[in-house]
Amino acid sequence: KMESCFVRVFLLLVVCLSPTQACIQGFLLNVDFPGSDVVDMYSPSVEHCQELCTQHPSCLFFSYNRSFRCYMKSSSSGHPQSQVLLLGVTSGYSLKTCNLEPTLCFPQVFEDVEFHGEDYETFFTANFEECQRVCTLDPMCQFFTFVTGNFSSPDVRYKCHLKFSWFVPRPVAVVLKSGVISGFSQKPQLTQHFATVCQSHLFSNTEFRGNDFLESQAVSPEHCQFLCSVHPLCTYFSFSSNDFRCFLKNNPNSMVAKTKSNFTSGISSHLCQIDESWAKLTYRDIEFRGLDFRSEVVNFVDICQEKCTEDPNCQFYTYHNGSFFHPENRHRCYMKRVVTMPTPSHIRKVDNVMSGFTLRNCRSS
């Protein structure tokens, strides 16, 4: 049995390293790709890990272990430098080259597994199915954990924890830079079904003091307001135009405003068609730094935007125009993306809890 297992792994490795096979969809059981790590994230399954690798701009292959850790990796060749037999580890490749529709449906139920943190709402309910149903109906809910009736602490039994992770693209670094133009894919940022358009108002030269719970990067006050409106805990925000910092704040009981130059503040929008006009604009002398997954030379920024919109993987871009200080990089379009699939920040084994994902992305048969 040990000999046949080794032969089966060996044959799989031969297939995976075939230079004629660009798209590799399978998994290598009990095989580790050591080294070449780009980043590691928590993931509840190897299928989820593979989709994380596919969405991550730099990941080309990965290894996944029993501790729910997804190690995303890259190399100049596109293949691991080595493979070793290691029990409990499963490895595979990004599906970027496969031209497949993104797999955002994860119907699997994870028993005795907690998706820890990211709670924005809790309530008591009769069973796991009802918890998942509410998560699926709530557009902010990305995943959940349900505490069963056998949990050790009786006061939290039958409790449903709804959880959030970012599902809209966010550049991680927005900086001033001469000779560049940045913008977003023209694909809609959200799927919205509200008849009423949000009535937003921005307060110029105003800072809402304190109550910060999260800081992000944003390219404009309108972009910052969008991020606040899609986060279930954000009640209002302040944006610093000096360094593109977007401060998301939570306090439903009070809001204290102070005059401050170069700051713009506003209030979250609720149950209405959120304005996405900020995504239609281009931003001169602003770079979205990093997160490149490919680049090509084009003559105009409009073509760069079209290329990004046509590419299903591209969420935003930075274009180097004819005045860029490095001549060899002029007229180059850098296409970029971040992970936007539901992703718990921490996963751990806990007896008598059940976790899962929203089923909004699952197509009915």
Side-chain angles (χ1 to χ4, degrees), residues 21-22 25 43 51 57 67 96 108 111 133 183 187-188 195 208 226 243 249 251 265 278 326 334:
Q21 188 175 5
Q25 298 187 52
S43 181
E51 191 59 33
S67 299
K96 290 182 178 71
Q108 183 178 351
E111 297 189 18
R133 184 189 73 83
K187 297 183 289 288
F208 292 154
F226 174 84
D243 48 15
K249 301 165 182 281
N251 188 337
S265 297
W278 55 269
H326 284 310
Y334 293 88

Side-chain angles (χ1 to χ4, degrees), residues 197-218:
V197 176
C198 299
Q199 300 297 313
S200 62
H201 177 70
L202 297 175
F203 301 86
S204 300
N205 296 314
T206 300
E207 180 190 21
F208 292 154
R209 301 300 304 274
N211 302 306
D212 300 12
F213 74 92
L214 185 67
E215 180 184 328
S216 183
Q217 290 277 281

Side-chain angles (χ1 to χ4, degrees), residues 171-177 182 215-221 223-224 227 238-247 262-263 283-289:
V172 297
V174 181
V175 296
L176 291 172
K177 192 170 190 176
S182 295
E215 180 184 328
S216 183
Q217 290 277 281
V219 72
S220 68
H223 185 205
C224 185
L227 296 177
S238 291
F239 173 76
S240 169
S241 57
N242 287 338
D243 48 15
F244 304 103
R245 297 167 77 185
C246 174
F247 300 93
N262 301 312
F263 267 75
Y283 298 89
R284 187 172 296 276
D285 294 329
I286 291 178
E287 178 188 28
F288 295 158
R289 182 165 290 173

Side-chain angles (χ1 to χ4, degrees), residues 36 44 66-67 74 79 109 112 127 197 206 251 253 255 325 350:
S36 304
R66 292 172 178 170
S67 299
S74 183
H79 292 289
V109 175
D112 298 325
N127 51 48
V197 176
T206 300
N251 188 337
N253 300 313
M255 184 172 69
F325 63 94
V350 175

